[in-house]
Amino acid sequence: MKKEDIEKIYNNIFKFIFIVLSVCFLTLYISNETGYFEYQQRQNVVLTDKKIKEFEEDVKKGINLDLESYLENSKKNYNNKASRTGLFLSHKIGEYTKTGIEKTFRFLNDLISDD
């Protein structure tokens, strides 16, 4: 391949990455400026207020109370194929990095030691 062709390929890759990052930035910026995150937090507060009122009414009625029925499940399940793959790759990269560093220091040790 010619040098010009390689430069065009690199320029196209750079432009694509720049556009993707720009779109991500603009999406986050617009969602922040429009108050989307604050709206979500407000919805959580309203839901909590409803649960508190429901709890108080059940206490007045003398119903057996189970605290779990009034609490929202705040734990999110991030266990999916992409997260498992990322975790697997992270562990493998860590293993190979550790092995590479150990072998490098062992090699340097062999060079320096007087055996």
Side-chain angles (χ1 to χ4, degrees):
M1 292 181 86
K2 294 180 182 178
K3 186 176 181 179
E4 295 85 21
D5 293 337
I6 293 174
E7 287 178 3
K8 284 182 182 179
I9 291 172
Y10 286 141
N11 285 338
N12 287 338
I13 291 172
F14 176 76
K15 286 178 186 177
F16 177 76
I17 291 172
F18 181 76
I19 289 171
V20 168
L21 291 175
S22 297
V23 168
C24 289
F25 170 77
L26 287 174
T27 303
L28 291 173
Y29 181 77
I30 289 170
S31 65
N32 186 33
E33 288 301 312
T34 58
Y36 176 76
F37 296 112
E38 289 81 9
Y39 174 75
Q40 291 297 325
Q41 292 301 323
R42 177 69 183 141
Q43 289 299 100
N44 288 339
V45 169
V46 169
L47 185 61
T48 304
D49 289 341
K50 287 180 184 177
K51 290 293 184 176
I52 290 172
K53 289 178 184 175
E54 183 181 327
F55 176 77
E56 290 173 349
E57 288 175 10
D58 288 347
V59 168
K60 288 178 185 176
K61 292 177 184 175
I63 298 174
N64 285 339
L65 301 174
D66 181 21
L67 186 60
E68 296 298 320
S69 63
Y70 299 100
L71 298 177
E72 288 294 315
N73 185 8
S74 62
K75 293 183 180 179
K76 296 196 182 229
N77 184 6
Y78 293 107
N79 192 9
N80 58 36
K81 190 171 184 175
S83 66
R84 286 191 301 269
T85 302
L87 185 61
F88 174 77
L89 288 174
S90 174
H91 285 299
K92 288 299 177 188
I93 290 170
E95 288 177 14
Y96 289 126
T97 303
K98 180 180 176 185
T99 304
I101 291 172
E102 287 174 349
K103 287 182 179 180
T104 301
F105 282 117
R106 198 173 306 128
F107 175 73
L108 291 175
N109 187 31
D110 290 344
L111 287 176
I112 296 172
S113 66
D114 293 332
D115 286 3

